[in-house]
Amino acid sequence: MPHDLSLLGAKPKSPLLLTSPIARKLETHVVLLPEDKMALASLEIRKRVFAKGSDITHEGQSLQSAYILCAGWACSYKLMRNGMRQVINFHVPGDLIGIRRILLPNCDDSLCAITRVEVGEINIQELAEALHGNGHLAMSILWSTLRDEAILVQHLVDVGRRRPIDRVAHFFLELSSRLNLVGLGTKTAYQCPLTQSLIADALGLTAVHFNRVLRQLRELNAMRFHEGWVELLDSKRLERLADFDSSYLQ
């Protein structure tokens, strides 16, 4: 069950609010103007905690909220009628989730907490008002949604055209780049709480096939994934395998 803990908006006098968490997210990629930061700092952001394995949102649910992931990992997924699950995307700390609800209030997927997560809940109407008349800030938010779209394009290519070994290499390189952008992990190693089953669902592989590919990459001395840690032993080789170019994440 989620728990409301506190307000992260600018009205309470908290050192956390000298910079809005949304501003911190956007400033890893774009330059915000002083008025942009003021508009974001004026938003009331409610901190909520979700237990590991709990759903944060459900497909078909009508919501007036978006979220910034402050801590922990989550995933978006769709559940088929036959019970099969397709993981659409994984979310890491700093990600903005559900911004498209400014125009589309109904959830077209579900959002699940992979670990214990802390999110900042943002009222969509308040965010829309903050964007009104502020073209620069609106473009910054648009950048965030377009980056998410670029990630999904790569995932579509993964399941449609890349060989299993290529798509697994691409997946771990993409995660490395995303985590580096928010100061988590290094270029050669990072923590990853995802299970093999979850990753296999995202990549359109069976768990057995995914495990076989991991063994191939380990035997090539390219990477290891063991006990929640990813080690990129030969990033150049992985990049050649996956035809990986991180420019879509910048």
Side-chain angles (χ1 to χ4, degrees):
M1 292 291 291
H3 304 282
D4 290 342
L5 294 185
S6 62
L7 295 180
L8 297 184
K11 293 171 187 176
K13 297 184 182 297
S14 165
L16 288 174
L17 296 180
L18 296 177
T19 305
S20 160
I22 306 178
R24 288 197 295 272
K25 157 68 176 177
L26 295 176
E27 284 189 307
T28 60
H29 304 275
V30 297
V31 177
L32 293 179
L33 302 176
E35 52 267 37
D36 300 337
K37 296 179 184 180
M38 288 179 63
L40 292 173
S42 70
L43 294 175
E44 185 178 278
I45 302 178
R46 183 175 296 278
K47 183 178 177 181
R48 304 185 70 194
V49 175
F50 292 84
K52 176 180 177 179
S54 63
D55 274 346
I56 299 169
T57 64
H58 302 275
E59 184 176 354
Q61 187 177 5
S62 182
L63 286 178
Q64 292 299 314
S65 299
Y67 301 97
I68 183 160
L69 186 55
C70 300
W73 290 50
C75 72
S76 300
Y77 72 94
K78 288 186 75 74
L79 199 62
M80 312 302 289
R81 287 185 180 178
N82 61 6
M84 295 184 69
R85 173 187 61 187
Q86 176 64 52
V87 174
I88 299 168
N89 197 9
F90 294 107
H91 304 286
V92 300
D95 280 0
L96 280 169
I97 306 169
I99 294 298
R100 65 181 182 273
R101 291 192 195 112
I102 290 176
L103 297 176
L104 303 170
N106 290 335
C107 300
D108 53 8
D109 54 24
S110 298
L111 179 65
C112 177
I114 296 172
T115 65
R116 176 187 179 276
V117 303
E118 295 179 11
V119 299
E121 186 177 55
I122 311 150
N123 182 276
I124 281 293
Q125 185 59 42
E126 289 184 14
L127 179 59
E129 290 171 2
L131 300 180
H132 183 69
N134 188 330
H136 186 269
L137 181 57
M139 288 298 292
S140 299
I141 295 291
L142 177 61
W143 163 84
S144 178
T145 61
L146 293 178
R147 177 177 173 270
D148 290 344
E149 181 180 328
I151 289 173
L152 293 179
V153 166
Q154 290 296 328
H155 292 183
L156 178 61
V157 176
D158 274 343
V159 297
R161 291 301 178 193
R162 289 190 177 106
R163 298 178 304 164
I165 193 170
D166 302 344
R167 74 180 77 161
V168 172
H170 195 281
F171 174 80
F172 284 110
L173 287 169
E174 179 184 272
L175 264 186
S176 175
S177 295
R178 290 175 65 186
L179 291 169
N180 267 292
L181 285 170
V182 293
L184 298 174
T186 68
K187 291 183 178 180
T188 57
Y190 57 90
Q191 283 188 292
C192 178
L194 307 178
T195 64
Q196 290 193 19
S197 177
L198 268 175
I199 300 173
D201 279 350
L203 297 181
L205 300 171
T206 65
V208 172
H209 197 172
F210 177 70
N211 187 267
R212 189 181 305 133
V213 173
L214 282 180
R215 186 169 64 249
Q216 286 179 275
L217 290 169
R218 187 170 60 248
E219 290 170 352
L220 289 172
N221 289 318
M223 65 158 287
R224 282 196 295 261
F225 178 36
H226 182 63
E227 294 184 349
W229 275 93
V230 175
E231 293 179 84
L232 304 179
L233 305 173
D234 190 342
S235 294
K236 293 299 182 184
R237 187 169 196 170
L238 290 171
E239 288 169 5
R240 288 194 298 271
L241 268 176
D243 191 23
F244 182 75
D245 178 357
S246 64
S247 59
Y248 68 99
L249 296 169
Q250 303 305 313

